[in-house]
Amino acid sequence: MILNNPLAIILVLLIVGISVAVTIFSRRFTRTTADFYVAGRGISAVQNAMALSGDYMSAATFLGIAGLVWLYGYDGIWYSVGFFGGWILLLLFLASPIRRFGAYTIADFVSGRFHSQKLRLVVMLGTILISVLYIIPQLVGVGDILGVLLGWNYMTGVVVAGILMTIYVVVGGMKATTYNQIIQCVILWTAMFVTVALALQQFGFSYDNLLTQVSGYTQPGNWLDFQNSFSLILGLVLGTAGLPHVLIRYYTNPSGKSARWTTVGTLFIIGTFYMMAPIAGFGARALLGDDGGLNTALPLLAQYLGGEAFLGVVVAAAFAAVLSTVAGLMLATTGAIAHDLYTNIINPKASEEKQLKVAKLSTLGVGILAIIVGILAQGYNVAFLVGLAFAIAASSFFPVLLMGTWWRGTTEKGALAGLVVGIISSTTIIITNIIGLHNLSNPAIITVPATFIIIYVVSRLDGQIPYDTDEFMLKVHMPGDENLEKLD
Amino acid sequence: MKDSDNEDDRNKIEKLIAKNFKLSISLGLIFLTIILILPVLNEFASDIMLKPVFGNFTVTLIYTALFIFIMGWIIPLYYTLETDKREREYEEEHK
């Protein structure tokens, strides 16, 4: 191992130290399964907005967007817009109803609506698939950045990050994850802000002057054609609203109202961040020319602007980005395995103590799996892989959650058909694109409408609306937080 | 409470759900249109979209890197304030 940037090492170790301290502090609050999965539903709107932002501002966001804009120019901004836009749909259609339902996982919500173990199983598998697809690029990001910039080999970076996040999720559960994500949100946003400010300083604080230097990169079409741009943006927008690790954070809010304000706060934090990320990408193109890198344009820009010291800060921030996102994904995956599979299907009579033990053991297993998969996935572009996770979420979870929440005519068979068709069709289109059978890299343009149609048609043909659909609708839409307390 | 009271309450809540859905779907469609029309305009109205507005900022760049974000703050803020207001009114009616 070559330690060629002592400051970066110190800052990374500082983040590790803070995460461990927060975890030890939060340990005392993690005694029940409700503490482990949803932090006792006591996270305020401001806290949750910051935690959700930390959760969502992943390696793909922090490293990937700047890298894509550096390489392709304007077309890379599609990711900024898509990652941001999904939150509006999440707020308008799902945030409040999901919190009002008040459970632990997305499978709980779907199963509560349709009373179906089959659906619970499919949603559980979908959660694992989406989360693993999302974890891979995060770990690829951490391996790349620690490898290239600190001289650590790729495997060391993945293993260090993997072990750390596993420890803090196992020991501190949602509470520790939340506090760590809040700290990581502040680190990430500040690092991006300072990078952009320093980059603009090189051009007399004029964005226009910066654009003059990158004139060949400011128009669309350097990378994506019309069909792929449209499909990518649809997939990113609807996919955000169907991501399990984002959706489960709403269960930590005390009320439906605070879930809505959480989303508004998140939109302000991530919106400013996504406005800055392309500026960093254009800055990297203008200042580094062809000497950037797809996953390393931002840190290399930081090195150019602030030397080894600032490089250290950005490396530490990228490390924080990975930790916060992977911890959230691990909680979603753990919930799917321990809560949906074990507690609800395998052993419904498990004691509280046993459930908590299984949850922690599952986290450990997911952590080991994530490390192995992360090592095997070396060399993939982070933003592209995250785009695939979004495509699957957009084509399966979002249509089912939307129709299940707002259309009482949705039936178990309709939801099941929609989920299966959405997951299989989006995965098939992605795989056939990778092996070169067609050039549609994001399947949302086909699979999202197909899933909505399937749910509608099968539900209409089936007609078996669950007996308590009206009660469910009242529960998730009824105004007033005192009603929520009653129903929880 | 009598069954007729329950029925009455349920009707009121169903009306509220329908009203909320109308608000959500209207704002959702507005935002989706704003965001999804961008690749369409880039493809079929590229002359307009690539026109510089000030300096090197073209219409498409301002739309993508500024306008969408501003709308993405205004719409949620309006929705949240409006929903809070409706819930307050509902709660006051049912005190």
Side-chain angles (χ1 to χ4, degrees):
Chain A
M1 195 161 67
I2 308 155
L3 304 181
N4 59 9
N5 189 330
L7 183 73
I9 301 275
I10 291 167
L11 288 170
V12 167
L13 289 176
L14 188 66
I15 288 179
V16 171
I18 292 171
S19 302
V20 171
V22 167
T23 303
I24 292 167
F25 169 75
S26 308
R27 199 179 160 197
R28 71 186 77 170
F29 304 111
T30 307
R31 296 204 176 96
T32 65
T33 44
D35 296 333
F36 186 83
Y37 289 122
V38 292
R41 303 195 203 284
I43 305 295
S44 72
V46 173
Q47 287 174 327
N48 212 15
M50 292 178 78
L52 262 169
S53 303
D55 194 345
Y56 195 62
M57 290 189 290
S58 61
T61 303
F62 191 70
L63 303 175
I65 292 173
L68 286 168
V69 173
W70 164 79
L71 184 61
Y72 301 114
Y74 176 96
D75 285 0
I77 308 178
W78 288 127
Y79 278 91
S80 265
V81 170
F83 285 153
F84 171 77
W87 288 85
I88 287 111
L89 298 192
L90 194 52
L91 169 70
L92 296 176
F93 297 105
L94 295 175
S96 189
I98 281 181
R99 172 55 195 102
R100 285 184 191 288
F101 182 72
Y104 296 151
T105 65
I106 298 312
D108 279 340
F109 186 80
V110 174
S111 167
R113 167 72 168 85
F114 300 105
H115 306 290
S116 162
Q117 291 294 68
K118 268 186 249 166
L119 264 174
R120 183 183 281 281
L121 203 62
V122 175
V123 173
M124 180 208 86
L125 292 172
T127 300
I128 294 171
L129 176 68
I130 292 165
S131 300
V132 169
L133 265 176
Y134 210 115
I135 286 175
I136 296 169
Q138 308 310 318
L139 291 176
V140 170
V142 83
D144 272 354
I145 197 158
L146 295 179
V148 173
L149 301 163
L150 296 185
W152 292 13
N153 72 41
Y154 176 82
M155 198 191 286
T156 307
V158 171
V159 171
V160 168
I163 289 174
L164 182 65
M165 85 219 163
T166 306
I167 289 172
Y168 83 60
V169 176
V170 167
V171 177
M174 183 58 103
K175 199 88 169 182
T177 304
T178 301
Y179 290 148
N180 278 315
Q181 285 172 337
I182 290 171
I183 294 165
Q184 286 147 0
C185 164
V186 174
I187 293 171
L188 280 167
W189 196 96
T190 309
M192 181 59 82
F193 177 79
V194 175
T195 307
V196 168
L198 290 175
L200 286 174
Q201 188 189 25
Q202 302 284 317
F203 302 93
F205 289 105
S206 163
Y207 196 174
D208 189 41
N209 287 347
L210 165 59
L211 292 178
T212 309
Q213 305 295 314
V214 293
S215 53
Y217 289 85
T218 55
Q219 70 288 338
N222 284 346
W223 175 31
L224 299 169
D225 57 17
F226 165 64
Q227 177 186 276
N228 274 301
S229 308
F230 192 89
S231 198
L232 173 73
I233 206 118
L234 190 68
L236 292 178
V237 169
L238 302 188
T240 297
L243 287 175
H245 73 291
V246 167
L247 293 167
I248 60 165
R249 280 219 61 95
Y250 285 107
Y251 289 135
T252 66
N253 275 128
S255 66
K257 182 180 173 180
S258 70
R260 289 193 294 273
W261 281 106
T262 288
T263 318
V264 173
T266 306
L267 276 161
F268 277 95
I269 297 169
I270 63 167
T272 46
F273 188 88
Y274 287 132
M275 286 172 91
M276 293 190 286
I279 303 175
F282 284 131
R285 170 52 60 188
L287 297 168
L288 305 175
D290 291 333
D291 295 332
L294 203 47
N295 295 336
T296 53
L298 186 72
L300 291 173
L301 174 67
Q303 187 180 32
Y304 178 94
L305 295 167
E308 293 296 305
F310 194 49
L311 169 67
V313 173
V314 169
V315 170
F319 188 71
V322 173
L323 287 186
S324 59
T325 303
V326 175
L329 289 162
M330 283 184 69
L331 269 170
T333 316
T334 297
I337 297 169
H339 179 72
D340 295 327
L341 184 64
Y342 178 77
T343 308
N344 280 287
I345 295 176
I346 296 174
N347 185 9
K349 289 178 181 163
S351 65
E352 178 78 13
E353 198 185 344
K354 180 93 177 167
Q355 287 181 38
L356 192 58
K357 200 174 165 187
V358 171
K360 292 186 173 191
L361 279 173
S362 303
T363 310
L364 201 62
V366 172
I368 294 167
L369 178 74
I371 291 169
I372 294 168
V373 176
I375 291 168
L376 294 175
Q378 186 174 2
Y380 286 90
N381 170 258
V382 290
F384 175 70
L385 283 173
V386 167
L388 300 187
F390 276 76
I392 296 173
S395 314
S396 54
F397 282 14
F398 178 72
V400 168
L401 291 172
L402 183 73
M403 292 187 76
T405 304
W406 290 96
W407 182 43
R408 71 180 295 287
T410 313
T411 69
E412 179 207 355
K413 288 193 177 75
L416 196 58
L419 274 175
V420 172
V421 167
I423 293 172
I424 291 176
S425 62
S426 53
T427 312
T428 306
I429 292 177
I430 290 163
I431 291 170
T432 48
N433 169 257
I434 290 170
I435 61 175
L437 293 182
H438 58 84
N439 72 346
L440 184 65
S441 56
N442 196 299
I445 197 170
I446 295 170
T447 53
V448 170
T451 306
F452 273 111
I453 291 168
I454 293 280
I455 295 171
Y456 181 78
V457 171
V458 174
S459 294
R460 278 281 184 216
L461 292 174
D462 177 30
Q464 303 282 311
I465 299 167
Y467 66 94
D468 61 348
T469 298
D470 287 337
E471 276 70 32
F472 176 90
M473 290 292 177
L474 289 179
K475 180 172 182 173
V476 300
H477 295 292
M478 193 191 323
D481 292 342
E482 75 284 4
N483 296 325
L484 184 74
E485 294 306 320
K486 239 169 15 199
L487 290 160
D488 246 3
Chain B
M1 197 184 275
K2 287 184 294 184
D3 281 354
S4 55
D5 290 343
N6 280 334
E7 190 69 22
D8 198 34
D9 265 4
R10 179 155 299 183
N11 286 338
K12 280 180 184 167
I13 291 168
E14 275 172 5
K15 270 184 197 162
L16 185 89
I17 294 170
K19 209 173 149 191
N20 283 348
F21 183 68
K22 206 173 156 191
L23 177 69
S24 291
I25 199 80
S26 315
L27 295 174
L29 285 176
I30 289 171
F31 187 74
L32 274 178
T33 306
I34 287 171
I35 208 164
L36 291 175
I37 204 164
L38 179 60
V40 179
L41 291 172
N42 279 341
E43 179 71 12
F44 300 105
S46 57
D47 288 350
I48 298 167
M49 297 307 278
L50 293 177
K51 215 173 191 163
V53 180
F54 58 87
N56 293 288
F57 283 94
T58 55
V59 175
T60 190
L61 207 52
I62 291 173
Y63 194 108
T64 315
L66 193 67
F67 177 68
I68 288 177
F69 288 93
I70 291 171
M71 291 311 290
W73 289 324
I74 292 172
I75 291 172
L77 205 53
Y78 171 76
Y79 167 80
T80 304
L81 292 171
E82 181 64 25
T83 309
D84 283 1
K85 193 179 101 192
R86 286 181 186 192
E87 291 195 357
R88 266 198 315 274
E89 284 168 1
Y90 177 86
E91 280 165 28
E92 273 164 27
E93 266 177 41
H94 291 78
K95 261 181 186 171

